[in-house]
Amino acid sequence: MAFNIAIDGPAGAGKSTIAKLVAKKLSYIYVDTGAMYRAMALYFLRKGIAPQDEKAVSAACDEITVTLSCESGEQQVYLNGENVNGLIRTEEVGKATSIVSAYAKVREKLTQLQREMAQTTDLIMDGRDIGTCVLPQAQVKIYLTASVETRGKRRFLELQEKGTGCRLETICQDIKNRDEQDMNRKLSPLRQAEDAVLVDSSFLTIEQVVERILEIVEEKE
Ligand code: DC
């Protein structure tokens, strides 16, 4: 049986940075499920389908094929055969993703794909519902979180580095809204699985979080 590590937590807690590093250390495949939801949202936006229109979004789901590949150690997301990695990280796509990821048809499609991948491959998968819903049998479950202020500051610095003007207050408010949406939706809301280990990264360096997770994995292996 494949060894699966599930990492869930709110936006900006550092899941993908940490999961990538842990995957490298363990020579596991890293699967960023948020990117899969983002690729689907990009499709709806391009088609002019309003994210709020659940009926239209659900009807269009069958037109979409999302595939992942690992190229030079980096996950690449393909939307109907097109590499959309560089197009899915915008605020517009992020907001649309938070809305469409609440729909049953969207979740069913990606959950099935994620389970298929995890069956045969040792992997570390990050998202919102991996430990609670996608891989309830995962050998290791981590709930990685950080305070809104910490996550806001990290995002603020990231945007500043890219030369994008922004206000810290606005970013923190956006984070709160995203948390609210992800935690209070009916289907697969973001929450800590009962058997997940809580790791709060607010006052930890990236290296410390990676170390902590590797310790947890070692205990379970
Ligand atoms: O991790 P991220 O910021 O790329 O996720 C984008 C959105 O996708 C986020 O609003 C929650 C949603 N998502 C989800 O519902 N389930 C997952 N397993 C991963 C992401």
Side-chain angles (χ1 to χ4, degrees):
M1 206 175 99
F3 196 94
N4 297 155
I5 303 170
I7 302 194
D8 292 300
K15 295 188 299 294
S16 62
T17 308
I18 303 292
K20 262 186 220 165
L21 291 167
V22 173
K24 209 169 180 186
K25 288 252 182 195
L26 298 172
S27 299
Y28 278 21
I29 297 283
Y30 163 57
V31 179
D32 168 5
T33 61
M36 300 166 86
Y37 284 95
R38 285 172 181 268
M40 287 193 73
L42 177 65
Y43 181 86
F44 305 128
L45 288 174
R46 279 177 167 179
K47 276 265 165 168
I49 298 171
Q52 292 80 1
D53 187 346
E54 179 171 1
K55 223 170 150 198
V57 165
S58 303
C61 278
D62 291 337
E63 300 163 13
I64 305 174
T65 306
V66 175
T67 41
L68 298 182
S69 77
C70 187
E71 292 164 27
S72 313
E74 286 286 322
Q75 174 183 288
Q76 303 293 321
V77 192
Y78 287 81
L79 171 63
N80 291 338
E82 176 193 352
N83 186 330
V84 291
N85 240 38
L87 306 172
I88 56 173
R89 302 281 162 206
T90 63
E91 283 303 303
E92 187 195 14
V93 173
K95 280 188 181 146
T97 309
S98 193
I99 299 170
V100 301
S101 62
Y103 302 151
K105 195 82 199 289
V106 173
R107 301 208 71 80
E108 274 164 23
K109 189 177 178 89
L110 295 183
T111 299
Q112 192 191 346
L113 198 62
Q114 290 154 9
R115 285 188 180 141
E116 281 167 15
M117 289 191 278
Q119 247 170 22
T120 50
T121 314
D122 291 340
L123 51 75
I124 179 160
M125 187 176 274
D126 84 14
R128 303 294 189 288
D129 60 337
I130 311 305
T132 51
C133 169
V134 179
L135 307 176
Q137 314 298 340
Q139 289 87 342
V140 173
K141 295 183 190 177
I142 310 285
Y143 190 83
L144 184 64
T145 190
S147 67
V148 170
E149 292 69 32
T150 304
R151 291 186 279 141
K153 270 186 210 146
R154 286 177 187 160
R155 181 80 186 128
F156 178 76
L157 292 175
E158 243 174 53
L159 289 172
Q160 264 196 335
E161 255 175 42
K162 281 189 201 159
T164 315
C166 54
R167 286 181 62 231
L168 182 59
E169 265 172 48
T170 316
I171 294 174
C172 287
Q173 194 52 52
D174 275 354
I175 287 178
K176 278 186 200 157
N177 295 345
R178 190 72 55 90
D179 284 358
E180 176 82 14
Q181 230 160 12
D182 293 344
M183 289 173 177
N184 293 310
R185 66 183 179 212
K186 261 205 243 125
L187 292 175
S188 308
L190 168 65
R191 61 181 175 79
Q192 184 181 342
E194 270 175 29
D195 51 350
V197 181
L198 176 72
V199 178
D200 186 331
S201 73
S202 301
F203 302 106
L204 298 177
T205 62
I206 291 173
E207 291 73 25
Q208 285 171 324
V209 178
V210 170
E211 271 310 304
R212 176 77 191 105
I213 293 178
L214 289 172
E215 275 168 22
I216 297 166
V217 173
E218 228 169 75
E219 282 164 20
K220 297 272 178 158
E221 263 177 343

